[in-house]
Amino acid sequence: LELILGRAGTGKTTLLRKRLAESTAPKTILIVPEQYTFESEHALLMEYGAETANRVQVYSFTRLAQAAFLQYGGGAGKRLTDGGRRILMTLALENCADQLTLFEKSADRMTDVLLNTVGEMKICGIDMLTKTAEAVTEDSLSRKLKEIALIYGTYEALVAQTYLDPLDDLTRLDDLLADHPDFFRNAYVAVDAFDGFTVQEYRVLRHALHHAEKVSVSLCCDDLDTSRKDLFSTVRRTASRLMRLAKESGTGVLSPVYCKTPYRFQNDE
């Protein structure tokens, strides 16, 4: 793991693109947020030519999952839409109605709230609500968690009968990469333009750290002192978690690279 640190405009992205262009690894992968995929591909083409642009595979986490599904399978099925989610959640609430007490009167008005809750739970990798509810000593909270777990389980069972939920793509990718470590094996992986990652994304990055030749991550902060409380606190915590994840994966951590020259603000434009 190599962390590339620096404030905005100090050349972190430029350095990563140079590393990708010069890499001799059998596979080079750049992971960026969805909105930066086209910009990154265009910049690689303009700065380093067609050969490099064709060689470097630019993905968002969503596109990374799609690429893995195309290579190994696992993505075939009817994709669940927002409208489909609302219908299935309504059905789940109807199926659970006679078992609800706290949510009995408000269940028919909770569809959107519960869909948001389910989405957050999936992104955060939470699927053990029943055990959590049993461990909670406060009665009202325990009952609430049990009812949410019941609704969640019923909803997931309905989804599984017919659909693939795009919110589960990274969870399926995590399972797929566990069975196919060759996806990242000996690759050079660069990760750019993120302030932080979801639990699902950390699980994918864990596979890259474990199997790739090298993983370089650029982060917008100027040090790794997590005790400081300022604008960069969240990013420092991201760096700390990545280093902890690397150690848990048995991966070495290189000394951080610090970018300090404010190139962007030296431009007359």
Side-chain angles (χ1 to χ4, degrees):
L1 171 66
E2 176 187 52
L3 296 177
I4 299 175
L5 309 178
R7 297 197 174 197
T10 54
K12 301 183 299 298
T13 296
T14 300
L15 178 59
L16 271 183
R17 289 172 183 165
K18 182 179 179 182
R19 295 272 180 88
L20 287 163
E22 295 175 350
S23 174
T24 58
K27 180 187 285 190
T28 49
I29 296 173
L30 173 61
I31 302 175
V32 294
E34 187 75 43
Q35 64 269 27
Y36 292 132
T37 52
F38 174 77
E39 178 185 329
S40 299
E41 290 173 339
H42 182 263
L44 285 168
L45 176 63
M46 293 296 100
E47 293 171 22
Y48 297 102
E51 188 278 330
T52 296
N54 287 329
R55 180 170 53 83
V56 177
Q57 301 170 39
V58 181
Y59 298 120
S60 62
F61 278 100
T62 301
R63 294 186 183 188
L64 186 70
Q66 293 169 353
F69 294 152
L70 283 173
Q71 186 169 342
Y72 303 113
K78 192 173 182 180
R79 308 286 283 180
L80 186 61
T81 64
D82 289 341
R85 287 192 185 91
R86 290 181 61 84
I87 292 170
L88 293 180
M89 181 58 76
T90 300
L91 289 174
L93 288 167
E94 290 176 357
N95 291 343
C96 296
D98 58 345
Q99 301 176 62
L100 301 178
T101 54
L102 286 177
F103 296 137
E104 179 181 10
K105 295 181 179 179
S106 58
D108 59 340
R109 302 189 301 274
M110 291 180 60
T111 302
D112 289 337
V113 173
L114 286 168
L115 284 174
N116 289 334
T117 301
V118 167
E120 289 291 331
M121 288 168 62
K122 290 188 175 190
I123 289 171
C124 295
I126 298 172
D127 56 4
M128 303 296 287
L129 270 188
T130 302
K131 290 184 178 180
T132 303
E134 292 171 353
V136 171
T137 56
E138 205 277 311
D139 182 61
S140 177
L141 178 58
S142 178
R143 289 165 57 201
K144 185 178 293 186
L145 289 172
K146 286 179 180 177
E147 292 194 6
I148 292 175
L150 173 65
I151 296 167
Y152 186 16
T154 305
Y155 170 79
E156 285 292 273
L158 290 170
V159 172
Q161 290 178 8
T162 311
Y163 298 97
L164 288 178
D165 189 346
L167 294 176
D168 292 326
D169 279 354
L170 294 187
T171 299
R172 287 196 295 273
L173 176 61
D174 178 29
D175 295 335
L176 193 66
L177 293 176
D179 295 330
H180 298 280
D182 56 297
F183 185 82
F184 282 123
R185 184 169 290 141
N186 299 324
Y188 175 53
V189 180
V191 184
D192 188 33
F194 289 93
D195 291 330
F197 304 97
T198 66
V199 171
Q200 289 178 316
E201 291 167 349
Y202 275 119
R203 289 174 178 173
V204 174
L205 289 175
R206 179 183 58 195
H207 293 285
L209 288 166
H210 190 60
H211 298 292
E213 179 182 284
K214 185 178 181 181
V215 178
S216 296
V217 183
S218 72
L219 292 172
C220 189
C221 63
D222 48 7
D223 61 56
L224 296 173
D225 183 3
T226 55
S227 64
R228 292 176 58 189
K229 305 300 180 184
D230 56 23
L231 290 173
F232 302 109
S233 296
T234 301
V235 185
R236 291 191 191 99
R237 288 196 294 271
T238 298
S240 178
R241 184 163 182 179
L242 285 171
M243 290 189 289
R244 187 168 65 250
L245 197 63
K247 291 175 182 177
E248 291 172 356
S249 302
T251 302
V253 179
L254 299 174
S255 298
V257 175
Y258 291 96
C259 300
K260 297 182 179 181
T261 306
Y263 297 105
R264 182 180 301 167
F265 307 109
Q266 293 178 356
N267 191 320
D268 292 336
E269 296 178 1

